[in-house]
Each structure stands twice: as C-alpha cells, then as structure tokens.
Amino acid sequence: MITKMKKLTFLVYHKEYEAFLNSLRELGVVHIVEKQQGAAENAELQDNIRLSARLAAALKLLQNQKHGKDAVIATHGGSAERGLQVLDEIDALQTEHSKLLQQQQICGKEKDALEAWGDFEPGGIQRLKDAGYVVGFYTCPEGNYKEEWEAEYNAMVICRISSKVFFVTVTKDGEEVDLDVEQAKLPSQSLAQLEMQYTNTGIALEENEKKLVALSETDIPSLKEALKQVQTEIEFSKVVLSTEQTAGDKLMLLEGWAPAASKVEIEAYLNDAHVYYEITDPTPEDNVPIELNNKGFFAWFEPICKLYMLPKYNELDLTPFFAPFFMIFFGLCLGDSGYGLFLFVGATAYRLLAKKLSPSAKSIISLIQILATSTFFCGLLTGTFFGANIYDLPWPFIQRLKSAVFMDNNDMFQLSLILGAVQILFGMVLKAVNQTIQFGFKYAIATIGWIILLLSLAFSALLPKVMPMGSTVHLIIMGIAGIMIFLFNSPGKNIFLNIGLGLWDSYNMATGLLGDVLSYVRLFALGLSGGILAGVFNSLAVGMSPDNVIAGPIVMVLIFVIGHAINIFMNVLGAMVHPMRLTFVEFFKNSGYEGGGKEYKPFRK
C-alpha cells in the first residue's frame, strides 16, 4: 500500500530561512519539492557534485583493494575533515601511479628493443664515432642477409631470433652504407641501466600500491563521513534552489510533502518555530512522492516493484497482488526441491552467522527464504531433487505423496496456462478497481464487461452441464457484457465513437490475450529444462567417474558439485528474470498499471 501524504507549504522570513532549513533537516520527515531554479549556474552546488563524484570514486577504489589475511580494517570512526585529506592523498598517489606506470612501460619497450643487442655502453659507441668510426645497427629477415656485407661494411651478426638477423656494421665516418634493411634506433642507456630502472620503477609502483592498501585499512570510514557531509550539503543547496522568493525577496516560499502520520509531530515543530505554514491534502494534479508501506510478506517484494517503477499516488500499489504469484512462478521456474532446500539452508545459515545485518539485507534474505520454500514445494509436483526423481523411491510416504501431488509434463503445461489466465483475469479486476478509484465507476464498466465475458466463456467451457456454451443464459450474459464493452468504452463520448473504440479494443483483446496467456508456458519450460540439465549432470557424474576406489568418488563429487552449481546459477537467474517479465508485462499491462511515481526522500542528514 501507499503511505498517505500531506502537502506542506512554508513561508519564512529570509533572515531566519537558513536556520529553519537546518531545523527542518533535523526533523527529517519532509520531502522537499525540487524546482532546481538556477541549479546549473550555482557554482557551489556544481563544485559539491564534482567533489561527491571524486569521493565516491576514491571510496570505491579503496574498497576494491586486496588485504592480507591478518589485516585489521577500520569500520567505525573517522571524520569528514580527514576524509578530504585522504582524497587529496589518493589523488596524489594515483597521479604518481600513472607516471610510474607510463615510465615503466616506456622503459620496458626500450629494454625489449635492446635485449637482442646485448649489454653495452652507449658511450663506447660515441667514442668510436669521435675516433672516426660509425657503428650501425640493423635487422633483416634471415633470407635477406648477405655475407658480402661482412667484407664490404665489416658487418657482424650479433644474434638470430625467429628467422630475424640482428647485425652491426663498422664503417669510417662519411662512408655511405647502402643496405636495403631496417636500421634500429637504440635507446641512450645500456641494457643494465634500463633493467635497473625497470626494477626500481616496479618497486616504486609496489610502494605506491601499499600506500593505497594502508589507506583502505584505516581511512574508509573517514571517506564515508566526507561523502555523507558533501551529499548533505548538496541536498541543502537543492532545497535552497527550490525556494521561491516573494514579497520583495523578504519571504521564502517552500513546498514539501510528509506522511500523514507525521502531521502532529510536524505541527508541533512548526508551531515552536513560529513560521507560517499550511498542511493540505494532495490534489489530482500534484506529483506526490511515493512511500510504499507494505508489511511482512508483501514488504519483501517491494524491491521487485521498484525495479520497474513506483506507482502513482492515486493508483493501486500492485506489490501485495503480484507477490503470491511471483513466489509461485519462481518456484515453478526453478522447479527442484533440492535446489529450494539448498537455497533455504544457505540463506538461513547466512542470516544466523552474519553480523549486524541491515534491515534491507534482512528483507532480501527473507525474500530468498520464501522463494526457496516455494521452490521446494513446487519441486514436489514433479518429484525432482537435484535432478533425481524422488518418486522412484519405494518408500510408502513418498508414494503417498506422489499419488497426492505428482503432476506429469502435460499437467505442468496446463497448470502454467491456468496460472496465467488467473493472473491476467485478476489483473483485469484490479484494473477495474483502479479505474473506479481514479476516475469513477462508469470508467470501469467496459473492463467489468470484459471480465464478465471471459468468466462466462470459461464457466461454460469448464461446466457445460451447468451453463452450456451458447445457451440462453449464456447469450444473455454475453449480451450484457457486450453492451458494457461497446457502449461504455469511453464515457462522455458519442455512441458511434464508443462502438468504434469497442471494436478496436476487441481486436486488441482477441490478439493480445492469447499471446499473454501463452507467455506463461515459460513457467513449465524453464522448470523442465532445468530438471533435464540437472539429470544430465547426474549422468555425467556417474558415467565419467573412473573405475577407481579413490579417484572415482572424488571425480563424481566434483562433477556433481560443479555441474549443479552452474545449473543453480543459471536457473535462479532465469527464475528471477522470467517471473519479473510476466509481472511487468502481462500482469501490469492487464491491470492498467501506469507507474511513474517519484520516491519519497525526506530532507535529512
């Protein structure tokens, strides 16, 4: 459900405005309507945004550092002032790291170029030149090297590497050397000097990285505090920019929203603050911020709804309505009792062993547990347990369970379609309710007509003895539904336009409804494919294990564990994505869900 909101309007004397905003932030329940007046030109805000981005990048850099086993990492304390100092230190270290890395790369290239020629002093080459002798360095393919160069230019082969000849020539200064080969350009340092420089640069890089690791062990809390402070300043600046000035810039006008449950607290605060204010109910034109307020089981599914978009203030929150379906769909897609049991035990163990779990983490773990439970029971429909069929066991309890719940592939296929039809019809009921709430009952009549028509067809198909298809009663019901569909399609418009729109709606319903229902076949297909793949891994584990008392079981267990780990990962991913797709496309579409609500974010530190 959506939390009821109240609209707040404040009128504050300009000299008291900053103090008022600080106290309003301390209250921490008012969502400020952002108007962003002059945001692009506000230098302070832009500087803080850039600083926030730098702090976030620095924090991510430190969090990604690798630590030793015995490292003690600070998790509490720290100050914003120290965080800004750490940011400067990180910037300096990164600049130094970039220079060292570039220097190492250049040095490495020069070292690689010189290795073929060996270690010699470039000064010796210069002394020969001063004495009137020029030493040339050349490379060419082995087939292009000519031995007569040795007599003509005093050529000497230094080495041969990968069919390439490295050679030098020694000629008198001024003597022309006419060789159709590549002349090597050598660095001004010796190989020993380059190797020393390369090693020293590597050591400097290691020291640089150690300094970053040291900062990550001690100063992450300080960076977080600095980031929090800067983000608070950004929010404060946005609030200031959202303020309208009135009465010759003497009065500051500010609008916001707060939960209706906080009205008494806000009124008490505002009365003490001696500011003019108004608290009113939202109008249909207002863009009211959304706070979902579901409890227990339904609250665990709120993150899934937020992945799509929040509802508008005046429409239904569909979270409580899609949650049971999503739970069942996940179980059918994963479809293995063993996998469900594994996920439940893993999530429960983590919940018991983990320290200081946040409320959001607890909610996610609870969601995993409920989805795992659904998987376990849905897996019993086919008897799949880590790819094996438990109903092959001759135990009486298992056989009684099989006779009670077992469903073959044909049954599972039909179950998927039935669940799809039920969810779509349920979505249409919600659409009618939503239309009644938002616009009035007459706007929901056409939708109700479609519901009656579809239910009558289903009833006649399933219970032909009670109401045969095409019987008088059935035709009367269909006639009433037709009148509702064609004459109340768009209330307020003329009858011919309504009929035309009704025909168009009928075409869309006839073509779209079948496709929507068939989309739910994926529930059966994913469960079936996952079970088949699990069985394949079991067969591989048994068939590929060597006939050895020691190695055989080890290989079998390895194949079993790795294979099922891969299968669990892929199937869990599919079991999340495809139910989301069915929820966001088929269910939301047929329920008339619009969405587009803005999340409630109170102005607070």
Side-chain angles (χ1 to χ4, degrees):
M1 59 181 293
I2 299 173
T3 301
K4 297 297 181 183
M5 291 285 175
K6 292 289 185 179
K7 185 176 183 179
L8 308 175
T9 305
F10 309 103
L11 200 59
V12 188
Y13 186 55
H14 70 101
K15 290 184 178 180
E16 301 172 353
Y17 189 59
E18 186 171 346
F20 168 74
L21 289 182
N22 284 320
S23 59
L24 192 66
R25 182 168 57 184
E26 291 291 337
L27 187 63
V29 294
V30 179
H31 174 104
I32 302 299
V33 176
E34 293 185 7
K35 298 181 181 178
Q36 299 294 326
Q37 297 176 356
E41 294 80 18
N42 188 279
E44 182 182 357
L45 176 59
Q46 296 304 318
D47 289 343
N48 280 333
I49 290 174
R50 284 190 287 269
L51 180 58
S52 174
R54 287 176 58 207
L55 285 167
L59 181 60
K60 185 177 180 180
L61 177 67
L62 293 191
Q63 288 173 334
N64 289 336
Q65 297 299 312
K66 295 181 179 179
H67 305 95
K69 293 182 179 179
D70 300 327
V72 179
I73 302 171
T75 56
H76 299 89
S79 65
E81 183 180 358
R82 172 58 187 160
L84 295 176
Q85 293 174 356
V86 172
L87 178 62
D88 292 335
E89 292 176 20
I90 291 173
D91 287 344
L93 286 172
Q94 285 189 294
T95 302
E96 181 188 17
H97 187 274
S98 298
K99 290 180 180 178
L100 289 172
L101 192 61
Q102 185 180 13
Q103 181 180 336
Q104 189 183 50
Q105 289 172 347
I106 294 171
C107 186
K109 289 179 181 178
E110 292 181 347
K111 184 169 69 72
D112 293 341
L114 200 56
E115 278 180 344
W117 304 102
D119 189 17
F120 62 90
E121 285 292 335
I125 304 298
Q126 184 61 41
R127 286 193 294 273
L128 283 173
K129 186 175 182 181
D130 294 340
Y133 293 94
V134 177
V135 179
F137 294 80
Y138 300 93
T139 62
C140 70
E142 193 166 3
N144 293 351
Y145 180 76
K146 299 178 181 179
E147 292 186 359
E148 54 263 31
W149 293 344
E150 296 176 4
E152 188 175 354
Y153 302 115
N154 299 312
M156 290 174 284
V157 176
I158 304 300
C159 67
R160 287 180 168 86
I161 300 175
S162 301
S163 301
K164 201 171 186 180
V165 179
F166 295 78
F167 66 96
V168 298
T169 61
V170 181
T171 57
K172 289 184 178 181
D173 193 10
E175 183 179 343
E176 184 179 356
V177 179
D178 185 17
L179 296 176
D180 188 18
V181 295
E182 181 183 354
Q183 186 170 8
K185 185 178 180 181
L186 301 181
S188 59
Q189 301 180 74
S190 67
L191 182 60
Q193 290 172 329
L194 288 172
E195 287 178 342
M196 179 64 70
Q197 185 178 343
Y198 187 85
T199 302
N200 291 338
T201 306
I203 294 172
L205 278 170
E206 289 179 4
E207 291 297 323
N208 180 282
E209 291 168 359
K210 286 179 181 178
K211 290 178 182 178
L212 271 180
V213 172
L215 288 176
S216 70
E217 292 175 355
T218 59
D219 290 307
I220 285 180
S222 295
L223 271 181
K224 289 181 177 179
E225 285 297 320
L227 181 59
K228 183 179 178 181
Q229 178 177 296
V230 171
Q231 288 175 340
T232 300
E233 292 174 0
I234 290 172
E235 292 301 318
F236 193 89
S237 298
K238 287 182 178 179
V239 171
V240 172
L241 291 170
S242 299
T243 306
E244 295 182 18
Q245 296 178 336
T246 61
D249 297 343
K250 297 294 183 182
L251 295 177
M252 315 298 283
L253 180 66
L254 185 67
E255 293 181 353
W257 298 91
S262 304
K263 181 181 177 182
V264 175
E265 178 187 2
I266 294 170
E267 285 180 333
Y269 156 74
L270 293 174
N271 289 330
D272 291 339
H274 302 293
V275 298
Y276 174 80
Y277 67 91
E278 286 185 356
I279 300 180
T280 58
D281 292 323
T283 63
E285 295 78 22
D286 287 327
N287 185 15
V288 186
I290 304 300
E291 181 185 40
L292 299 182
N293 190 27
N294 297 292
K295 305 296 182 184
F297 170 82
F298 301 117
W300 302 336
F301 291 84
E302 286 182 0
I304 296 174
C305 180
K306 291 177 181 178
L307 283 175
Y308 185 68
M309 66 175 73
L310 290 169
K312 290 183 178 179
Y313 185 72
N314 59 348
E315 69 177 333
L316 286 175
D317 170 24
L318 297 185
T319 304
F321 304 109
F322 77 72
F325 287 101
F326 190 95
M327 178 187 69
I328 296 171
F329 293 168
F330 182 94
L332 291 174
C333 287
L334 194 51
D336 189 295
S337 294
Y339 290 175
L341 184 62
F342 172 77
L343 291 175
F344 183 84
V345 171
T348 304
Y350 181 79
R351 185 167 195 158
L352 294 174
L353 298 176
K355 298 178 180 179
K356 296 182 180 179
L357 285 173
S358 64
S360 60
K362 289 181 180 178
S363 177
I364 292 173
I365 292 173
S366 297
L367 178 61
I368 294 173
Q369 288 175 314
I370 199 68
L371 295 178
T373 303
S374 172
T375 302
F376 178 81
F377 286 105
C378 288
L380 294 178
L381 297 177
T382 57
T384 309
F385 193 91
F386 283 102
N389 196 327
I390 60 173
Y391 293 140
D392 291 338
L393 298 172
W395 302 343
F397 169 74
I398 296 296
Q399 294 305 311
R400 286 197 299 271
L401 183 64
K402 178 181 179 180
S403 62
V405 301
F406 176 72
M407 302 179 75
D408 59 20
N409 288 341
N410 187 48
D411 295 332
M412 292 297 292
F413 179 82
Q414 293 179 19
L415 176 63
S416 299
L417 294 179
I418 291 170
L419 285 172
V422 170
Q423 189 182 38
I424 288 172
L425 278 172
F426 183 56
M428 294 176 70
V429 172
L430 294 176
K431 181 179 181 180
V433 174
N434 218 356
Q435 288 172 326
T436 303
I437 294 172
Q438 290 182 283
F439 312 111
F441 177 73
K442 63 180 180 180
Y443 287 88
I445 292 177
T447 303
I448 295 172
W450 278 112
I451 296 170
I452 293 172
L453 177 64
L454 294 173
L455 286 176
S456 69
L457 291 172
F459 191 84
S460 295
L462 296 174
L463 299 171
K465 293 182 179 180
V466 179
M467 188 175 71
M469 186 78 70
S471 64
T472 304
V473 175
H474 187 217
L475 290 175
I476 291 173
I477 293 174
M478 291 179 65
I480 294 172
I483 292 171
M484 297 170 73
I485 292 168
F486 287 99
L487 299 185
F488 292 90
N489 190 276
S490 298
K493 297 180 180 178
N494 68 66
I495 187 171
F496 298 105
L497 184 59
N498 267 289
I499 293 173
L501 291 173
L503 290 171
W504 176 249
D505 196 21
S506 300
Y507 169 77
N508 289 331
M509 186 66 72
T511 56
L513 194 62
L514 179 62
D516 289 344
V517 173
L518 290 177
S519 290
Y520 288 81
V521 173
R522 70 188 68 226
L523 301 176
F524 158 72
L526 283 169
L528 178 63
S529 62
I532 292 173
L533 194 56
V536 169
F537 283 123
N538 290 342
S539 299
L540 289 174
V542 175
M544 295 184 67
S545 57
D547 189 13
N548 184 285
V549 177
I550 298 175
I554 294 175
V555 172
M556 183 173 66
V557 170
L558 283 175
I559 295 175
F560 182 86
V561 171
I562 294 173
H564 281 287
I566 294 171
N567 199 32
I568 288 174
F569 173 76
M570 293 191 301
N571 284 353
V572 167
L573 188 63
M576 285 298 297
V577 171
H578 288 281
M580 281 185 188
R581 194 263 183 201
L582 293 173
T583 301
F584 296 159
V585 178
E586 277 74 22
F587 181 61
F588 279 10
K589 180 184 72 174
N590 286 285
S591 61
Y593 185 79
E594 293 183 15
K598 185 176 182 180
E599 187 176 3
Y600 165 72
K601 294 181 179 179
F603 179 46
R604 60 169 60 137
K605 286 187 176 180

